[in-house]
Amino acid sequence: MIKLITDYSGIDDLDVMVYQSRVSKIHNNLIGEDTYSENLGWFDYPNTISEKEIEKIETYSEEIVKNSDVLIVIGTGGSYIGSRSVIEALKYNFYYQIYEDSKIPKIYFLGYNLSDSYVEDLLKVLENKEVSVNVISKSGSTIETVLAYTVIEEFMKKKYGDSYKDRVYITTSMTSGPLRELAIREGIKSLDIPNKIGGRYSVLTPVGLLAMAVSGINIRKVLKGASEQISLLESAELTENPAYLYAVMRNILYKNGKQIELLVTYEPKLRFFSEWWQQLFAESEGKDGKGLFPTYAFFSTDLHSLGQIIQDGKRNLFETVLMINESDSKVRIENIDEVFGRYSSLEGKNIGDINKMVFESTIAAHSENGIPNIILEVKRLDEERIGALIYFFLRAVSMSGILLGVNPFNQPGVEIYKRKLRERFK
Amino acid sequence: MIKLITDYSGIDDLDVMVYQSRVSKIHNNLIGEDTYSENLGWFDYPNTISEKEIEKIETYSEEIVKNSDVLIVIGTGGSYIGSRSVIEALKYNFYYQIYEDSKIPKIYFLGYNLSDSYVEDLLKVLENKEVSVNVISKSGSTIETVLAYTVIEEFMKKKYGDSYKDRVYITTSMTSGPLRELAIREGIKSLDIPNKIGGRYSVLTPVGLLAMAVSGINIRKVLKGASEQISLLESAELTENPAYLYAVMRNILYKNGKQIELLVTYEPKLRFFSEWWQQLFAESEGKDGKGLFPTYAFFSTDLHSLGQIIQDGKRNLFETVLMINESDSKVRIENIDEVFGRYSSLEGKNIGDINKMVFESTIAAHSENGIPNIILEVKRLDEERIGALIYFFLRAVSMSGILLGVNPFNQPGVEIYKRKLRERFK
């Protein structure tokens, strides 16, 4: 489902293979749930999520679709970017426009910022709309989430009186925290975030699944794609496990002095998926003074800008290209005006074919210049494949982090700013 | 208008002042238009653009607003990101939603990618809409732009017959190139890109101004803000010229081994402005094996993800925080539920005030940990200030590039992929 092409990486097979015994050992540790047993809830979750839980998500989703023009999803960090990335990747490029006349609720995200103007503008958008709310926080006390919920709760109470509760869905720890308390006290519907799954590993749990379902995505297919990916990554052998191979290649490039990994996509609708990928790798690996800095670029526009620094700047980066190889290209170039004579050979070609030529030219230009390129090829963007891609990266980052010598499941650095902030509240 | 706060940069004043004589010399070179005379058309453009040119842009804009539901802006790189960044920054966070019922045309961008699905989806959005087109390329032969125009021209001919020409606006070199030829041959309305202004320096010319005007932005105010900024940056003294001071600070941090500059904003609507800033600095400085890698983060959500690597990863980055200090905050936090007791002291505060607390906590957490922070403070996002900000960065990057020892106005690396691509066309 996901093909890893190593030809342009500049990495020697022998350098990869010396990692095999370490990789096998870490793999056994992961499947044995030994060292990291408190953090591996995501490992088999697509296989073990219960039919009852899926049905509950689907029921809530149907309810929301039936009685809402808008779903507000309140969350930040891992409780925000996952579902947004999948929805924007799978639903159209012009999601909000194409949906204008449709019955499917528009989904707006809140709580991922504390911008006054953002909140104000959202409240304007909500005027005269039927609204439901999904508030997501594992701890149940994330500050941005609590503040956003406080604003929206007031809005909902004004609009719906006491029955506002029927339009709220809480996704939080199954056992504790203020949001769980609130759900119990008020009888608000809720979904569980399993205890052993951290925020950035949670997109394939109810955290991400409810909003996906509301947007019209078939979440069973997303989970199926992830499950299939679990089988495909069963072996610890680097020749058979592309997620581990990707992790090893990143480690080799890091040790060779690379400081930046640039995720390259050619699809504008992968903008938020790139952000999801960035936060997954940054938060999992960026600790103890270590870690590649993960960032992203959108080709072809960035070939006209960032392209300069990639080609010709410091030799401190490599590219990971996520190439979607859609085969069902439909937009043909007909009748190029004669003033554009130099392009006349492109007449009759599809846009997708030309995109592939740009991709190939770029790989050639960059790799000939010594910029390592790792290529991940996927046939198309659909529900199964996005589930597979997510799971692929979850497995890759956990292997990669452990190879780097850090704990890929904690985030001690995030806590420091939170502590500083709490001091100011007193 | 733009305040540069240096207190958290960790840079000593004395280290800055040793740059003064070099900066003064470069400044004289820039105002004398000596070494770079072929690339300094942007330097005084906000002061020298003619009343006639502004009126022409306004006339075209009124025409488009009057007879269109949609304006398609076709361009890539510098012909794309500038106007998009200003429109998204100044118009609302939910631009396309708030505008649903308004008479102002929605603006869609095309040609910045070669994604089949993007083009297909856009064509769907255009069904039953009245459409105008602004196609932008200085050379008049940028491949993505030509291909996108070819697709849209066909659509327009089908829809409007020969009168499609009345709905096309060409922005290109005043003297040469295929788009200029096309404009002359077909009698299509056109705007001039002055010869001495490169793509990434062109947002305050007709390249960016027409789309801005159509979106309802007062372009005279944008130009006025830029003009005022020119006066504010008249002196070469580092104590009086914050753009040069910013350039010097970047250079010091680069020499101290920093590899990455992270532009931090707290406003989601500055997403594309961050991209504009990135391409400006990457393309101007990333050459001859040199240059900081410019990238960006959106707080507060990224404090829950990238925050980890900033706080605790490799010591290879610094932050430039673009802080919008809106004073007219309106959204108050009322009645925090008692389950969220720890936040009760925030009751009665505005979201904007709390955002400021997050900003201060973050600066403290990061700078105490040795992460240099340069702060750019702006009172609010409005037309004058966005014009000022753009001009500020244009001046900063030209000083910064020359200090680095590169030519900030060329882009030899971009040409390599273009050459490779052309070879494939034969």
Side-chain angles (χ1 to χ4, degrees):
Chain A
M1 207 140 38
I2 299 159
K3 198 171 151 197
L4 176 62
I5 299 168
T6 60
D7 306 8
Y8 303 93
S9 66
I11 296 173
D12 199 292
D13 281 354
L14 288 173
D15 293 333
V16 169
M17 294 323 292
V18 296
Y19 278 79
Q20 184 62 63
S21 65
R22 278 178 72 201
V23 166
S24 299
K25 209 173 137 198
I26 296 168
H27 175 76
N28 289 334
N29 221 323
L30 287 172
I31 55 173
E33 298 203 9
D34 228 15
T35 323
Y36 300 106
S37 60
E38 286 312 300
N39 304 102
L40 288 170
W42 57 272
F43 200 91
D44 268 327
Y45 190 82
N47 286 334
T48 59
I49 180 173
S50 69
E51 175 62 24
K52 204 179 130 198
E53 191 74 4
I54 296 175
E55 278 171 14
K56 197 169 160 191
I57 296 170
E58 287 173 339
T59 307
Y60 288 172
S61 164
E62 281 159 26
E63 232 175 73
I64 295 168
V65 171
K66 208 169 135 189
N67 64 20
S68 317
D69 306 310
V70 168
L71 171 67
I72 303 175
V73 177
I74 302 178
T76 193
S79 299
Y80 148 69
I81 193 69
S83 65
R84 182 164 194 177
S85 73
V86 174
I87 293 168
E88 302 239 354
L90 291 187
K91 308 316 287 182
Y92 313 88
N93 287 285
F94 300 89
Y95 174 63
Y96 293 106
Q97 282 65 55
I98 291 188
Y99 274 7
E100 247 171 51
D101 310 315
S102 117
K103 292 244 153 108
I104 297 175
K106 291 179 191 173
I107 297 175
Y108 297 104
F109 295 88
L110 189 66
Y112 72 93
N113 64 68
L114 288 166
S115 157
D116 243 314
S117 79
Y118 185 91
V119 181
E120 260 190 87
D121 288 347
L122 180 61
L123 291 173
K124 269 184 237 163
V125 170
L126 298 183
E127 276 167 27
N128 309 317
K129 299 278 197 311
E130 299 300 331
V131 180
S132 292
V133 180
N134 179 207
V135 52
I136 310 169
S137 163
K138 189 176 173 191
S139 69
S141 62
T142 312
I143 175 165
E144 293 93 335
T145 310
V146 169
L147 295 175
Y149 179 72
T150 300
V151 170
I152 291 298
E153 190 191 54
E154 202 197 326
F155 165 88
M156 296 292 282
K157 279 181 178 167
K158 260 188 205 149
K159 190 174 172 84
Y160 295 110
D162 201 48
S163 73
Y164 84 93
K165 288 176 202 166
D166 301 337
R167 293 176 166 271
V168 177
Y169 302 80
I170 290 176
T171 308
T172 190
S173 160
M174 52 207 305
T175 50
S176 64
L179 277 176
R180 176 58 58 199
E181 277 179 58
L182 188 73
I184 295 168
R185 194 190 74 201
E186 301 290 326
I188 292 175
K189 280 160 284 195
S190 68
L191 291 163
D192 296 336
I193 309 181
N195 285 330
K196 295 181 180 178
I197 305 185
R200 61 188 178 276
Y201 290 85
S202 71
V203 48
L204 298 175
T205 74
V207 168
L209 294 173
L210 179 57
M212 285 185 219
V214 170
S215 81
I217 290 171
N218 183 333
I219 58 171
R220 288 177 189 268
K221 287 191 182 170
V222 175
L223 289 166
K224 183 166 163 264
S227 286
E228 281 173 23
Q229 194 59 215
I230 295 178
S231 324
L232 290 170
L233 300 178
E234 220 164 39
S235 166
E237 295 299 315
L238 288 167
T239 47
E240 290 168 32
N241 189 314
Y244 290 170
L245 180 55
Y246 171 52
V248 165
M249 293 176 83
R250 298 178 82 250
N251 195 267
I252 291 171
L253 292 167
Y254 178 73
K255 290 209 165 151
N256 288 348
K258 298 305 177 197
Q259 313 224 4
I260 298 164
E261 178 179 13
L262 197 62
L263 184 74
V264 168
T265 63
Y266 285 76
E267 291 290 335
K269 59 189 174 182
L270 285 174
R271 177 179 298 276
F272 287 94
F273 190 83
S274 302
E275 270 190 43
W276 171 81
W277 171 91
Q278 179 185 44
Q279 63 103 22
L280 177 68
F281 280 84
E283 198 173 6
S284 300
E285 293 202 322
K287 53 197 74 161
D288 308 337
K290 298 180 185 176
L292 286 162
F293 190 92
T295 183
Y296 45 81
F298 307 106
F299 288 176
S300 67
T301 190
D302 284 339
L303 288 171
H304 297 263
S305 50
L306 272 184
Q308 171 62 41
I309 200 167
I310 297 167
Q311 186 78 40
D312 213 18
K314 271 180 104 80
R315 285 285 174 271
N316 58 358
L317 63 80
F318 69 93
E319 294 168 272
T320 296
V321 184
L322 179 52
M323 190 62 195
I324 313 297
N325 230 335
E326 308 253 11
S327 48
D328 47 355
S329 175
K330 280 174 208 146
V331 185
R332 262 168 67 102
I333 299 294
E334 322 265 10
N335 307 321
I336 296 182
D337 192 287
E338 59 188 31
V339 296
F340 308 115
R342 70 171 76 172
Y343 299 127
S344 56
S345 69
L346 298 179
E347 261 183 25
K349 289 210 184 330
N350 293 326
I351 293 260
D353 300 334
I354 300 168
N355 202 24
K356 209 177 278 179
M357 291 164 80
V358 170
F359 161 73
E360 286 162 2
S361 310
T362 307
I363 294 281
H366 291 183
S367 65
E368 280 174 24
N369 211 11
I371 319 297
N373 268 259
I374 299 172
I375 302 166
L376 293 169
E377 205 180 72
V378 180
K379 270 236 165 56
R380 72 179 65 85
L381 280 177
D382 59 18
E383 282 133 325
E384 282 92 344
R385 284 181 178 81
I386 206 96
L389 264 176
I390 287 169
Y391 190 83
F392 178 93
F393 285 124
L394 295 183
R395 275 291 273 286
V397 80
S398 49
M399 176 57 71
S400 185
I402 299 171
L403 282 174
L404 185 65
V406 302
N407 177 346
F409 306 114
N410 69 2
Q411 52 282 334
V414 172
E415 306 304 327
I416 299 172
Y417 118 86
K418 287 187 185 171
R419 202 166 55 234
K420 291 263 175 212
L421 184 57
R422 278 196 296 270
E423 284 165 15
R424 273 168 211 258
F425 292 168
K426 306 264 163 73
Chain B
M1 207 140 37
I2 299 159
K3 198 170 150 196
L4 176 62
I5 299 169
T6 61
D7 305 6
Y8 303 92
S9 67
I11 296 174
D12 197 292
D13 281 353
L14 287 173
D15 292 332
V16 169
M17 294 324 291
V18 296
Y19 277 79
Q20 184 62 63
S21 65
R22 277 177 73 201
V23 166
S24 299
K25 209 173 137 198
I26 295 168
H27 175 75
N28 290 334
N29 221 323
L30 287 173
I31 54 171
E33 299 203 9
D34 228 15
T35 322
Y36 299 105
S37 59
E38 285 313 300
N39 306 101
L40 288 170
W42 56 273
F43 200 90
D44 268 326
Y45 190 81
N47 286 333
T48 57
I49 180 175
S50 69
E51 175 61 25
K52 205 179 131 199
E53 191 75 3
I54 297 175
E55 278 171 15
K56 198 170 159 190
I57 297 170
E58 287 172 339
T59 306
Y60 289 173
S61 164
E62 281 159 26
E63 233 174 73
I64 295 167
V65 171
K66 208 169 137 190
N67 64 19
S68 317
D69 305 311
V70 167
L71 171 67
I72 303 175
V73 176
I74 302 177
T76 194
S79 299
Y80 148 68
I81 192 71
S83 64
R84 182 164 194 177
S85 73
V86 174
I87 293 168
E88 303 239 353
L90 291 187
K91 309 316 286 181
Y92 314 90
N93 287 284
F94 300 89
Y95 174 64
Y96 293 106
Q97 282 65 56
I98 292 187
Y99 274 9
E100 247 171 54
D101 310 315
S102 117
K103 292 245 154 108
I104 296 176
K106 290 179 189 170
I107 297 175
Y108 296 104
F109 294 88
L110 190 66
Y112 72 95
N113 63 69
L114 288 167
S115 157
D116 244 314
S117 80
Y118 186 91
V119 180
E120 260 189 88
D121 289 346
L122 180 61
L123 291 172
K124 271 184 234 162
V125 170
L126 297 184
E127 276 167 27
N128 309 317
K129 300 277 199 307
E130 299 300 331
V131 180
S132 293
V133 181
N134 178 207
V135 52
I136 309 171
S137 165
K138 189 176 173 192
S139 69
S141 62
T142 311
I143 176 164
E144 292 93 335
T145 309
V146 169
L147 295 176
Y149 179 71
T150 300
V151 171
I152 292 298
E153 189 190 54
E154 201 196 328
F155 165 87
M156 295 293 281
K157 279 181 181 170
K158 261 188 205 151
K159 190 174 171 84
Y160 295 110
D162 201 48
S163 73
Y164 84 92
K165 288 176 202 167
D166 302 337
R167 293 174 166 273
V168 177
Y169 302 80
I170 290 177
T171 308
T172 190
S173 159
M174 51 207 306
T175 49
S176 63
L179 277 176
R180 175 58 57 197
E181 276 179 58
L182 188 73
I184 294 169
R185 194 191 74 201
E186 300 291 327
I188 292 175
K189 280 160 283 195
S190 68
L191 291 163
D192 297 336
I193 309 181
N195 284 331
K196 295 181 180 179
I197 305 185
R200 62 188 177 276
Y201 290 85
S202 71
V203 48
L204 298 176
T205 73
V207 167
L209 294 173
L210 179 58
M212 286 185 216
V214 170
S215 82
I217 289 171
N218 183 333
I219 58 171
R220 289 176 189 268
K221 287 190 183 170
V222 175
L223 289 166
K224 182 165 163 265
S227 286
E228 281 173 24
Q229 193 58 216
I230 295 179
S231 324
L232 290 170
L233 300 178
E234 220 164 40
S235 166
E237 295 299 314
L238 288 167
T239 48
E240 290 167 34
N241 189 315
Y244 290 169
L245 180 55
Y246 171 53
V248 165
M249 294 176 83
R250 299 178 81 249
N251 195 267
I252 291 171
L253 292 166
Y254 178 73
K255 291 209 165 150
N256 289 348
K258 298 305 177 197
Q259 312 224 6
I260 297 165
E261 178 178 12
L262 198 61
L263 184 73
V264 168
T265 64
Y266 286 76
E267 292 289 335
K269 60 188 174 182
L270 285 174
R271 178 179 296 277
F272 288 93
F273 191 82
S274 303
E275 271 190 43
W276 171 82
W277 171 91
Q278 179 185 44
Q279 63 104 20
L280 177 68
F281 279 85
E283 198 173 4
S284 300
E285 293 202 322
K287 53 197 73 162
D288 308 337
K290 298 181 185 176
L292 287 162
F293 190 92
T295 182
Y296 45 82
F298 307 106
F299 288 176
S300 66
T301 190
D302 284 339
L303 288 171
H304 298 262
S305 50
L306 273 184
Q308 171 62 40
I309 199 167
I310 297 168
Q311 187 79 42
D312 213 17
K314 272 181 104 79
R315 285 286 175 270
N316 57 358
L317 63 80
F318 70 93
E319 293 169 272
T320 295
V321 185
L322 179 52
M323 189 61 194
I324 312 297
N325 231 335
E326 307 254 11
S327 48
D328 47 354
S329 176
K330 280 173 206 147
V331 185
R332 262 167 69 101
I333 299 294
E334 323 265 9
N335 307 320
I336 296 181
D337 192 287
E338 59 189 32
V339 295
F340 308 115
R342 72 172 74 174
Y343 300 127
S344 56
S345 68
L346 297 180
E347 261 184 23
K349 289 210 184 330
N350 293 327
I351 294 259
D353 300 333
I354 300 167
N355 202 24
K356 210 177 277 180
M357 291 164 80
V358 171
F359 162 73
E360 286 162 2
S361 311
T362 307
I363 294 283
H366 292 183
S367 64
E368 279 172 27
N369 211 11
I371 320 298
N373 268 259
I374 298 173
I375 302 166
L376 292 169
E377 206 180 71
V378 180
K379 271 235 165 58
R380 73 180 66 83
L381 279 177
D382 59 18
E383 282 134 325
E384 282 92 344
R385 284 181 179 81
I386 208 96
L389 265 175
I390 288 170
Y391 191 82
F392 178 92
F393 284 124
L394 294 184
R395 275 290 275 284
V397 81
S398 49
M399 176 58 69
S400 184
I402 300 171
L403 282 174
L404 185 65
V406 302
N407 177 347
F409 306 114
N410 68 2
Q411 53 281 333
V414 172
E415 305 305 326
I416 299 171
Y417 118 85
K418 287 187 185 171
R419 202 167 54 235
K420 291 263 177 213
L421 184 57
R422 278 196 296 268
E423 284 165 15
R424 273 168 212 258
F425 292 168
K426 305 267 162 71

